[in-house]
Amino acid sequence: MTKRTDLPALLAEIHRDAQPLFGQGRVADYIPALAEVEPRRFGLAIATVDGQTHSVGDAHTPFSLQSITKLFTFVLALKLEGDAVWQRVGREPSGAAFNSIVQLETENGIPRNPFINAGALVITDILTTRYAHLDYALLGALRRLADEPNLHWNPRVERSERETAHRNMAMAYFMKSHGNFRNEPETVLDNYCRQCATEMSCAQLAQATLFLANDGRDLGRLGEPDEQFLSADATRRVNALLLTCGAYDAAGDFAYRIGLPVKTGVGGGIVAIVPGVATIAVWSPELDAKGNSVLGAFALERLVQGTGWGHTSI
Ligand code: GLN
């Protein structure tokens, strides 16, 4: 249900109204190379299931996906393992910071959900067992989904995160001590840091996630036929997890303000799914205290208010 069909005018209005929010957040600097990004950037792109695209601002500038990649690795693990993933990771909101370690001790090395760092590390561990070259396998899947043969990861960001990954490494070792890690933590961390350093623009990200708005169907591009990338049932479940766990300890606030399945990342990106309708990708590097993009959350809130998207889907 669309309240307002003039999307280009709505996007221009959101872009204008977001400008005064610059300076309210801070660029992530715990990974040194991420701190080098220009803070005052803002881009937004929409892809609809009927093939339209709309964008405004820096929608074609690649940025560091960071935790948004956790959505793709989880989908791959679910495709390969089905319900067996739930033996290794939970599906409850954590209510704790994305890199929190505390629940791992009380919950015997089983992370609360696949989108906090500990859970994402388990998922990357599962995929590391499955793929001899997970980095290229993941990139191949993303290139197909985004319809973009030139996607890559940023080696500087990868190295910078790998050199400062002590906390993630500690979580991996802790989970290994509980028998919830199959590979060497070093190997999994190599894959994880490479995965997080993948870059996409908003336009590419909206395209790459469109199957989640389309009952799992990826529309054939790059000369390939349509593909049921994920079953409709699994797609519905992924969206439920994104709604409840996709924004870390701000998941409740995001559900209240935006009401859509989302995945956020410390690169300043957020992707939101409007089941049956569209995907929205937004990027602005300044983050709030919980690691989510300030202008990104604002833009999504305004967009759902202006379009009515999501009002009937939850
Ligand atoms: N690579 C980051 C980390 O593990 C991802 C965190 C994020 O985007 N929230 O710390």
Side-chain angles (χ1 to χ4, degrees):
M1 198 248 310
T2 302
K3 268 196 207 168
R4 179 170 166 173
T5 44
D6 190 357
L7 281 174
L10 179 58
L11 295 192
E13 207 176 286
I14 291 171
H15 183 257
R16 185 196 66 213
D17 293 349
Q19 305 297 312
L21 301 182
F22 279 127
Q24 286 192 7
R26 287 196 52 214
V27 171
D29 57 6
Y30 73 102
I31 299 171
L34 278 187
E36 294 166 13
V37 71
E38 212 187 299
R40 299 195 171 200
R41 306 296 298 268
F42 173 80
L44 189 151
I46 295 173
T48 68
V49 295
D50 59 10
Q52 295 173 47
T53 54
H54 301 275
S55 63
V56 70
D58 301 310
H60 298 279
T61 306
F63 63 90
S64 196
L65 287 184
Q66 294 298 316
S67 281
I68 295 173
T69 59
K70 295 170 182 174
L71 143 61
F72 296 107
T73 49
F74 175 64
V75 165
L76 287 184
L78 200 59
K79 271 165 74 93
L80 290 165
E81 304 264 329
D83 280 345
V85 296
W86 304 122
Q87 290 161 17
R88 307 276 312 272
V89 66
R91 47 178 191 253
E92 291 296 338
S94 73
F98 69 89
N99 58 359
S100 172
I101 200 164
V102 64
Q103 288 162 343
L104 278 182
E105 181 161 24
T106 51
E107 293 173 17
N108 302 320
I110 307 287
R112 276 277 173 102
N113 66 64
F115 299 138
I116 51 172
N117 280 14
L121 286 165
V122 164
I123 296 296
T124 301
D125 181 52
I126 290 172
L127 295 178
T128 299
T129 303
R130 290 283 194 146
Y131 292 103
H133 296 285
L134 173 57
D135 43 9
Y136 287 101
L138 179 62
L139 207 55
L142 294 179
R143 283 174 175 168
R144 195 220 132 111
L145 288 171
D147 191 21
E148 175 50 70
N150 294 318
L151 289 182
H152 63 278
W153 63 79
N154 180 322
R156 259 178 67 70
V157 173
E158 174 202 359
R159 218 171 314 117
S160 182
E161 176 161 9
R162 189 65 182 82
E163 284 164 7
T164 53
H166 310 111
R167 194 181 177 99
N168 284 334
M169 190 65 93
M171 288 197 267
Y173 272 104
F174 188 81
M175 291 189 282
K176 196 159 179 76
S177 79
H178 275 283
N180 194 21
F181 225 72
R182 306 286 184 265
N183 299 282
E184 285 310 314
E186 279 77 4
T187 312
V188 176
L189 259 293
D190 287 347
N191 282 331
Y192 176 83
C193 294
R194 200 161 284 168
Q195 150 198 332
C196 287
T198 307
E199 295 187 338
M200 273 191 207
S201 67
C202 291
Q204 291 162 347
L205 179 58
Q207 202 60 247
T209 47
L210 199 52
F211 70 99
L212 289 173
N214 201 26
D215 288 332
R217 263 191 107 62
D218 177 44
L219 303 176
R221 293 175 302 267
L222 289 178
E224 292 184 49
D226 287 9
E227 182 193 0
Q228 192 71 41
F229 190 72
L230 190 65
S231 74
D233 199 39
T235 302
R236 181 177 60 79
R237 293 170 189 279
V238 170
N239 283 331
L241 279 168
L242 291 172
L243 180 70
T244 52
C245 309
Y248 322 118
D249 47 337
D253 186 50
F254 266 63
Y256 180 79
R257 291 172 62 192
I258 296 157
L260 293 173
V262 296
K263 186 72 207 82
T264 65
V266 294
I270 308 177
V271 63
I273 316 298
V274 194
V277 180
T279 50
I280 310 153
V282 57
W283 168 61
S284 187
E286 293 180 341
L287 309 179
D288 64 19
K290 294 187 172 174
N292 299 312
S293 170
V294 173
L295 273 72
F298 166 83
L300 288 172
E301 193 174 359
R302 283 287 302 272
L303 194 64
V304 295
Q305 285 168 346
T307 55
W309 283 353
H311 291 190
T312 54
S313 63
I314 303 296

